[in-house]
Amino acid sequence: MSENASDEKKTSWGPGTATGIGSMPGGDAREAAKTVTGSLEALPYLPELPARGPGADMIGRTAGLLAELYAHVEPSGWRISDRPGRDTRRARSWLREDLDALEEFTQGYTGALKISAVGPWTLAAALELRNGEAAISDPGACRDLAASLAEGLRHHLAEVRRRVPGARPVLQLDEPSLTTVLTGSVRTASGYRTHRAVDRGVVEGALREVTAVAAGAEVVVHSCAPAVPFALLRRAGATGISFDLALLTEREEETIGEAVEGGTTLFVGAVPAVDGPLSDPAGSVMGVRTLWRRLGLSPGTLAESVVVTPACGLAGASPAYARAALAHCVRAARSLADNPE
């Protein structure tokens, strides 16, 4: 990366930063908010607690954010409804509880604050229409979902700014199903066929509509699936891309180099998201240093171009491991700043 490109890079956090992906174990909103805000000084986030059940899961939580669209739980998953019901009310109630806890532990906070929601294409692949097929099967339904999500996120961002006046919101869109949408691998309700691939231009357009609600703030798109479409996400307005380092292949390296050169921040999932032994912090990000050398990027840009995260959400970890993993990410990010070579 040229010195000019490096100088132009501006984020709401400094070099050597770590954060989490979104989910945390357990069901105690105050404990989760306390852990996240206590561990991550530069880039805390609003935790998600899916262990509480339907409505706290990533699809249900985002369904509760939608504007003038509603969903309820069926045995097969979340299905679009005509009106808000018990499941929508539960999802919104849990989100308010999470926001209350975050507000309590961010009194006087100034700085970046990350909130997350499921992106339009993972939502379209997961939400069922009234006939039981995924919304991805209906282009009109996909357009309606993207518009509803954009409006719902606009209100959500305003609420976060109201509750934490010193916050500079960072919007994360979770898109783990994006690759299957692009490759035509989303299964039909019967399981015997797959829905046809969605045109890349259509995918990019819907993502651009949703990222636009951030109004100049950073937008991170997260996927812990293989084959993350880096170039498409950048064109759609993502200023950061979050991925699992262990799933990266040589095929993606060139587009990663171009992304870094263009000022995109890499949210690198370098720390395991489930219980297990943790290596030394510097060892956890050795793969990032190796990638930098292979791409011929300046070591001096490493700490400002990379945010260290767990490989995915921490919902499947024990509370003790989740705390240890976030602390480990912080130390690993610091090691990139202290010793980028």
Side-chain angles (χ1 to χ4, degrees), residues 1-2 257 261 289-299 301:
M1 183 182 288
S2 69
E261 290 277 4
R289 292 189 177 92
T290 302
L291 174 65
W292 235 246
R293 283 196 294 272
R294 220 164 34 232
L295 293 174
L297 297 168
S298 165
T301 67

Side-chain angles (χ1 to χ4, degrees), residues 1-10 261 300-301 304-305:
M1 183 182 288
S2 69
E3 289 302 315
N4 287 342
S6 176
D7 290 343
E8 290 167 6
K9 188 173 180 65
K10 296 272 193 299
E261 290 277 4
T301 67
E304 65 189 19
S305 297

Side-chain angles (χ1 to χ4, degrees), residues 270-272 276-287 289 308 321 324-325 327-336 339:
V271 175
L278 291 167
S279 69
D280 68 289
S284 294
V285 288
M286 185 58 68
R289 292 189 177 92
V308 179
Y321 179 82
H328 192 85
C329 287
V330 170
R331 290 193 293 271
R334 196 170 296 137
S335 80
L336 288 181
N339 181 23

Side-chain angles (χ1 to χ4, degrees), residues 13-99:
W13 53 86
T17 291
T19 191
I21 297 300
S23 66
M24 292 287 284
D28 187 331
R30 291 186 74 256
E31 184 60 32
K34 181 180 179 182
T35 297
V36 165
T37 56
S39 303
L40 305 166
E41 294 182 1
L43 188 49
Y45 60 94
L46 175 64
E48 302 169 0
L49 301 172
R52 292 179 298 196
D57 61 297
M58 61 188 286
I59 299 299
R61 183 182 180 94
T62 299
L65 287 172
L66 295 175
E68 298 182 22
L69 275 179
Y70 313 102
H72 67 277
V73 178
E74 292 279 344
S76 54
W78 284 87
R79 184 170 295 181
I80 292 173
S81 307
D82 292 323
R83 60 185 64 85
R86 178 183 60 190
D87 297 325
T88 296
R89 289 192 294 272
R90 184 190 298 123
R92 291 175 176 176
S93 174
W94 272 329
L95 179 57
R96 281 195 300 273
E97 183 180 310
D98 294 339
L99 286 167

Side-chain angles (χ1 to χ4, degrees), residues 68-251:
E68 298 182 22
L69 275 179
Y70 313 102
H72 67 277
V73 178
E74 292 279 344
S76 54
W78 284 87
R79 184 170 295 181
I80 292 173
S81 307
D82 292 323
R83 60 185 64 85
R86 178 183 60 190
D87 297 325
T88 296
R89 289 192 294 272
R90 184 190 298 123
R92 291 175 176 176
S93 174
W94 272 329
L95 179 57
R96 281 195 300 273
E97 183 180 310
D98 294 339
L99 286 167
D100 288 344
L102 183 73
E103 184 178 0
E104 177 183 349
F105 288 100
T106 51
Q107 293 295 311
Y109 175 74
T110 58
L113 177 64
K114 185 163 67 68
I115 63 169
S116 55
V118 175
W121 294 107
T122 295
L123 200 59
L127 276 182
E128 298 174 357
L129 301 173
R130 292 170 184 84
N131 64 4
E133 286 295 350
I136 198 76
S137 64
D138 183 334
C142 291
R143 287 192 295 271
D144 290 346
L145 264 182
S148 175
L149 177 61
E151 185 61 24
L153 284 173
R154 191 175 288 112
H155 289 293
H156 186 38
L157 285 163
E159 176 70 1
V160 171
R161 290 186 178 103
R162 184 185 69 79
R163 285 172 174 263
V164 191
R168 295 189 295 278
V170 176
L171 175 61
Q172 175 181 304
L173 297 175
D174 294 317
E175 282 284 15
S177 299
L178 184 58
T179 302
T180 59
V181 167
L182 288 166
T183 57
S185 306
V186 178
R187 294 210 163 271
T188 59
S190 69
Y192 295 123
R193 296 184 299 110
T194 57
H195 295 291
R196 70 178 60 179
V198 180
D199 180 84
R200 295 179 80 88
V202 174
V203 168
E204 184 181 323
L207 281 166
R208 191 180 297 113
E209 178 181 3
V210 177
T211 61
V213 305
E218 280 93 3
V219 178
V220 180
V221 178
H222 164 70
S223 174
C224 49
V228 176
F230 287 88
L232 184 152
L233 295 177
R234 290 179 59 216
R235 291 195 303 271
T239 57
I241 300 174
S242 172
F243 61 96
D244 181 347
L245 181 62
L247 297 179
L248 199 65
T249 65
E250 287 186 21
R251 196 166 54 246

